Amino acid sequence: MPKSDAPPHLVVVLAYDDLRTFEFGCAVEVFALPRPEMGPDWYRFAVAAAAPGPLRGLGGITVQADGGLELLEQAGTIIVPGWPGPGSPVPAPLVRALRDAHARGARLAAICGGAFVLAATGLLAGKRVTTHWSHAAKLADAYPDVDVRPDVLYVDEGSLLTSAGSAAGLDLCLHLVRRDFGPKAANKVARRLVIQTHREGGQAQYVERPVPARSGTRLSALLALIRENPADDWSIERMASRAGMSVRGLHRHFQSTTGMAPGAWLLAERIARAREMLEDTALTIEDIALRVGFGAGATLRNHFRNSLGVTPGAYRARFTANL
DNA sequence: AAGAATCTCCGCCATC
DNA sequence: GAGATGGCGGAGATTC
């Protein structure tokens, strides 16, 4: 977490001619939106032009950057949102600016084809890296000393991060938020993203859908198991013994990887599942309750109402009416 | 619709 | 000495 006496962490996103607007948008969505609720330490944001000259984006828009490469000198994180093509040359001044920034301690994060830009700096040698699946082979050919992993969403090598195609850029950006501000903040941002794309009428709140845990976490096997069998009896004690830790330890691990207490996570998971069943099955609410692990329909109704602001019946009616 | 039994959460401290 | 871990207990939530 940034210290409160330092100026907030500056995120600089590169813009270039023929800009990949979708990848660019991922970074904007996470880092550039005003988020007063996140407090005064939240990121500052700027767009830097990778080269002089007019900048157009895919889709025909024109882009106005905040400045040129000099912005990279103050950046804590630099994001390369795609790149026009694997064969597109990376300008020497850009390479130099990225190297300097990295030497100074800045993080470099590439979305999709942006990995080619990072590779051109030579900093990726020996590192694990990913990119869009359709470019993976080209990247590996062009840079034999880079360890290309085509099958992951993103790779965190500390100060060098890369993500797979398009939308994986969101996962990468959320990952950065989690690193900087913790899982709770990442969940908040993630939830916001969903609200904006799926906005429904009224003030209905959304279940906190937990940010997926990094695989390899001590908890990830347990979480998967619970998701497969939500109806089982998942007392805290049973979860703990499944995960091979004490109850207290389970609490702590849940908090740190998920941002929620075990019970709260389980509840959110069961409600999310119930919601899916309301949407695409005709099961009775009683049935759904049992299948997702509530002891009775009344319990489901209570929790559903509490976290979504609608009764299950009303939710189903509205959902099917909106189809 | 209300209440008693049970479970969960989390700060605190000792321990490894 | 920092960092993770485990146990305890009480306020509060949950269940039926």
Side-chain angles (χ1 to χ4, degrees), chain A residues 12-306:
Chain A
V12 172
V13 178
L14 284 182
Y16 47 87
D17 195 34
D18 212 7
L19 180 66
R20 266 41 190 172
T21 43
F22 186 89
E23 287 80 352
F24 181 75
C26 291
V28 169
E29 190 70 34
V30 173
F31 296 111
L33 294 195
R35 298 185 192 275
E37 75 278 15
M38 303 304 264
D41 286 338
W42 191 249
Y43 304 99
R44 288 181 299 142
F45 179 84
V47 178
L55 302 177
R56 283 150 310 172
L58 284 184
I61 61 167
T62 307
V63 180
Q64 175 85 57
D66 296 311
L69 293 177
E70 75 283 355
L71 284 172
L72 304 198
E73 291 165 18
Q74 310 147 39
T77 299
I78 298 166
I79 300 183
V80 188
W83 195 241
S88 277
V90 181
L94 175 57
V95 168
R96 215 173 308 124
L98 287 173
R99 273 205 203 122
D100 290 349
H102 183 258
R104 222 197 50 241
R107 291 186 299 207
L108 309 184
I111 301 174
C112 198
F116 284 87
V117 178
L118 297 197
T121 66
L123 293 168
L124 295 184
K127 305 283 190 210
R128 289 167 307 151
V129 161
T130 191
T131 186
H132 193 279
W133 56 268
S134 72
H135 295 336
K138 275 178 216 143
L139 184 63
D141 283 350
Y143 299 94
D145 52 352
V146 172
D147 179 3
V148 180
R149 305 290 178 97
D151 52 348
V152 296
L153 270 186
Y154 58 81
V155 178
D156 178 350
E157 282 277 15
S159 61
L160 294 161
L161 302 97
T162 49
S163 76
S166 304
L170 273 180
D171 296 283
L172 176 60
C173 292
L174 283 173
H175 173 71
L176 287 171
V177 173
R178 180 167 45 203
R179 259 179 65 172
D180 295 339
F181 292 90
K184 268 192 184 145
N187 277 342
K188 250 184 173 171
V189 174
R191 203 174 29 169
R192 267 296 196 82
L193 287 169
V194 175
I195 285 174
Q196 303 212 326
T197 40
H198 288 191
R199 190 188 296 273
E200 286 189 5
Q203 291 287 314
Q205 296 158 27
Y206 284 76
V207 180
E208 303 224 1
R209 218 17 199 313
V211 172
R214 281 157 287 195
S215 56
T217 310
R218 281 236 263 157
L219 272 187
S220 50
L222 175 67
L223 299 193
L225 192 62
I226 297 176
R227 279 201 250 250
E228 279 165 34
N229 314 290
D232 283 13
D233 164 37
W234 291 113
S235 69
I236 304 297
E237 211 162 334
R238 196 158 100 87
M239 290 192 227
S241 74
R242 275 304 182 126
M245 54 183 84
S246 70
V247 167
R248 192 69 188 80
L250 182 81
H251 269 281
R252 268 197 280 258
H253 277 98
F254 251 89
Q255 286 291 1
S256 78
T257 84
T258 237
M260 306 165 88
W265 183 90
L266 178 64
L267 186 60
E269 201 52 44
R270 304 229 245 225
I271 288 179
R273 190 61 69 84
R275 206 164 106 190
E276 289 165 18
M277 291 190 180
L278 287 166
E279 288 171 9
D280 45 44
T281 74
L283 296 169
T284 65
I285 291 166
E286 210 70 28
D287 264 351
I288 293 177
L290 297 179
R291 285 177 197 232
V292 303
F294 292 110
T299 315
L300 168 61
R301 277 179 242 269
N302 266 336
H303 286 300
F304 201 91
R305 189 175 189 129
N306 253 343

